[in-house]
Every structure is written in C-alpha cells, then in structure tokens.
Amino acid sequence: MSPFPIASDKAQLTTAAIDAGDSYVQGFRINSLNTLCRASLTGGAQYSNGLLLSNDGQVIYVDATAGLPANTNISSGLPLAPNGALCISTDAAATYSSGLPFVANGALSATITP
C-alpha cells in the first residue's frame, strides 16, 4: 500500500492549508477525503517514516523535475534531498516501485494542487 494517495499514475499532494478534518495515514497528514497528502516547500522540524515533515505534519518536498539534487539519498525506496525533503517531479511516471510511481530521473511522480 502506498503511503500517498495515487491517482492518474501520480502521488497526489496539496499545498492547501491544513484542515481540522485531516487525518494521519502511515504518519502523513492526509485531507479528510483521503485523496491528498498535505505538503510544503518550507519548514521541516521532525521526521516520520524517514521523511522530513513540518510541525503540522506536511511532507516537505523539493521539485526535482529538472533533475535530482546533488547527493540525493534513497531511504525506504524514496528519493530524499540532502536536507531530507522528498524529491518529486511533475513528469509522467516511467516505472512503479512498492506501489509508487517514479519518473525517469528517479523522483516520485506527483501532482501538486493548491
């Protein structure tokens, strides 16, 4: 089972404000409909399941569409920037691993909605 909601071959992330109806699934803050994982470009104060999270439980990510950052590490099958942020790309999925879609450069294939 994927730790992120998946639709149209992409992990579904949102930068929308957190909501009181959110819940936690596998340590990640998910919207009340279980369709979007809360995410942010900034913050990062704690870790859950190897991923850097904001104080509000949002996954911290970096846009790796143009390429993975130097010194990217793989942790639990996920590409992490040196600062611990999840490397994502808006490119189409090229392969799947452990139920997650990945693009050709190794970043997680994701859609970010506001």
Side-chain angles (χ1 to χ4, degrees):
M1 178 180 171
S2 168
F4 307 106
I6 305 292
S8 302
D9 293 328
K10 291 188 180 277
Q12 301 298 302
L13 306 176
T14 182
T15 56
I18 60 172
D19 184 86
D22 290 351
S23 61
Y24 285 88
V25 176
Q26 296 185 30
F28 307 115
R29 191 173 196 128
I30 306 291
N31 71 343
S32 62
L33 300 175
N34 291 323
T35 57
L36 298 167
C37 179
R38 301 287 182 192
S40 178
L41 283 169
T42 61
Q46 58 190 333
Y47 286 86
S48 179
N49 296 319
L51 292 178
L52 185 61
L53 302 179
S54 71
N55 285 335
D56 295 322
Q58 298 162 294
V59 173
I60 305 300
Y61 73 94
V62 62
D63 185 351
T65 301
L68 294 174
N71 300 316
T72 294
N73 297 301
I74 305 299
S75 177
S76 299
L78 295 171
L80 302 179
N83 67 351
L86 177 65
C87 298
I88 65 128
S89 171
T90 55
D91 287 343
T95 189
Y96 267 80
S97 179
S98 300
L100 293 171
F102 291 90
V103 302
N105 73 7
L108 181 69
S109 181
T111 296
I112 303 288
T113 59

